[in-house]
Amino acid sequence: MTKTVIAVGGHIGDMELTAGPTLAKVVLEGGRAIIVDCTYGERGHPRLAPSVYKEQKLHEAKFFAEKIGAELVTLDYSDGFLPDDETVAEQVAAVIRGAKPDILITHWIRSMHRDHERAAQAALRGAFLASIPIEELDAERHSVPTILHAENWEDMDGFEADTFFAIPEEAYARWREGIQEHAFARGETYGFRFIDYYSALMEVKGCLVGEKRAAAFKTAGNEKFALAGP
């Protein structure tokens, strides 16, 4: 799996949590992983002011990226206020044009969180924009061969996994060490045990494909074209 993979998430921590084990696997196998966090996710702590939690979230994002060997791109949008416009898609397209990924990972298009849905729309639209010639940019276009939606317990409306990646022990260990730095993943914000949940989920999915652990995804289908076109 020596590839370049870009993962686009609504908040700092989203792709780290769900796609992180796969990104760690990619890096271990000699590939390149890029995490694009669209918002800071700074309004998700019940006891910290957003300005304080924002700085903590930025630290958590950098810590995770370093632990798994990924690159990090953080867009300058506030938690809960990701715009539904071309600007975000153009920013994602710029990353795609520059990195020329083999795989693009994002949220499923239906979620309980508006930022998740808008990040998915921006990723799909960004993939479209990156694939067409734009003379004003004077940049080489790139069509992403594979677009995947990550499995996320908050994005499960209509989600049915069809793609699985075995997660080796070292990739899991790197993910676990990196995600442990995230306060929300440790259950310190609203009490949900994210790390335990996704660790168990990987074992369940591994059972389905004859591996100790596996990460599950859904291949982008008709929604890729419905959301991406002009």
Side-chain angles (χ1 to χ4, degrees), residues 44-150:
H45 201 294
R47 296 176 298 280
L48 295 180
S51 59
V52 175
Y53 195 36
K54 173 183 174 181
E55 294 306 312
Q56 180 174 320
K57 294 286 282 185
L58 286 167
H59 160 76
E60 292 167 353
K62 293 173 184 175
F63 182 92
F64 182 88
E66 289 173 1
K67 285 299 176 183
I68 71 164
E71 300 166 45
L72 176 66
V73 177
T74 305
L75 304 186
D76 188 22
Y77 296 103
S78 184
D79 185 4
F81 294 91
L82 185 63
D84 182 17
D85 60 26
E86 289 288 89
T87 304
V88 185
E90 289 169 356
Q91 289 174 296
V92 173
V95 178
I96 292 172
R97 286 176 179 269
K100 297 178 174 53
D102 305 283
I103 299 174
L104 176 68
I105 300 174
T106 190
H107 294 279
W108 176 229
I109 58 170
R110 291 192 288 276
S111 174
M112 63 197 310
H113 290 299
R114 187 175 70 169
D115 287 341
H116 289 196
E117 291 185 341
R118 289 189 172 181
Q121 292 166 0
L124 296 173
R125 176 67 175 169
F128 170 76
L129 293 176
S131 71
I132 61 175
I134 299 179
E135 192 169 355
E136 296 84 351
L137 293 179
D138 191 28
E140 186 178 352
R141 61 180 175 173
H142 175 74
S143 294
V144 183
T146 302
I147 299 178
L148 301 173
H149 300 289

Side-chain angles (χ1 to χ4, degrees), residues 122-177:
L124 296 173
R125 176 67 175 169
F128 170 76
L129 293 176
S131 71
I132 61 175
I134 299 179
E135 192 169 355
E136 296 84 351
L137 293 179
D138 191 28
E140 186 178 352
R141 61 180 175 173
H142 175 74
S143 294
V144 183
T146 302
I147 299 178
L148 301 173
H149 300 289
E151 183 168 5
N152 183 322
W153 77 278
E154 298 170 318
D155 305 345
M156 293 304 292
D157 181 13
F159 181 94
E160 293 184 14
D162 58 22
T163 300
F164 301 85
F165 295 124
I167 304 299
E169 191 65 33
E170 179 62 21
Y172 172 74
R174 291 191 183 188
W175 169 80
R176 181 100 189 194
E177 184 178 2

